[in-house]
Amino acid sequence: MEEHEVYQAIGSEGFERLIAAFYRRVPADEVLGPMYPASDLPGAEKRLRGFLIYRFGGPEDYIAERGHPRLGMRHGRFAIDDSARQHWLRLMNEAFEEAQLPAEAEQVLRQFFENTAAFLRNRPG
Ligand code: HEM
């Protein structure tokens, strides 16, 4: 499956389930919990979901609201070392288990998350 076909395969509903399952786990995570805005977790959930919908072939509401993603810059103020990267990917693994998306779409998304998490690492260790 190509990246731009993922939205067609799982729809907004698929992204909604995956990203809700991820954010449900964020507050209890000892590394990620303190990094995310406790007062605006629904907003953070919406930003990640909207970005992914745009990135994987769906409507571009995210771009209209947030402009160019510039993920590297937008993560600069968070200390993303190897531990933070692993915590993020672990919560996303659990979210995949819960969301039960079609295997082909899951594979494309997992690859993207692995690559992007490695790219966003911005602190040694
Ligand atoms: C590697 C570990 C990562 C950490 C610790 C991390 C942490 C964060 C935090 C704390 C925020 C702010 C939440 C908010 O208010 O929006 C954020 C935003 C965001 N993250 Fe990550 N992130 C990580 C990986 C990723 C990955 C792999 C992606 C790609 C799918 C991603 C995409 C985003 C997006 C799209 C936003 C919102 C950007 C905006 O419009 O402001 N992040 N991240």
Side-chain angles (χ1 to χ4, degrees), residues 32 35-37 44 47-48 51-52 62 66 71 74-75 78 80 84-85 88 112-113 116-117 120:
L32 302 181
M35 283 170 93
Y36 282 79
R47 287 185 280 279
L48 179 57
F51 165 75
L52 293 171
Y62 173 85
R66 304 289 292 163
L71 288 189
R74 282 182 169 149
H75 286 79
F78 309 119
I80 305 184
R85 182 186 68 87
W88 198 100
F112 175 75
F113 290 143
T116 307
L120 289 177

Side-chain angles (χ1 to χ4, degrees), residues 82-97:
D82 196 52
S83 161
R85 182 186 68 87
Q86 286 181 24
H87 277 251
W88 198 100
L89 290 172
R90 188 178 312 140
L91 292 202
M92 193 55 85
N93 275 340
E94 293 174 14
F96 274 120
E97 279 169 27

Side-chain angles (χ1 to χ4, degrees), residues 21 23 30 32 43 46 56 60 63 67 70 82 90-92 96 110 115 124:
Y23 273 97
E30 70 268 27
L32 302 181
K46 183 181 176 210
F56 288 92
E60 304 199 343
I63 299 297
R70 298 195 290 175
D82 196 52
R90 188 178 312 140
L91 292 202
M92 193 55 85
F96 274 120
R110 277 182 183 276
N115 295 345

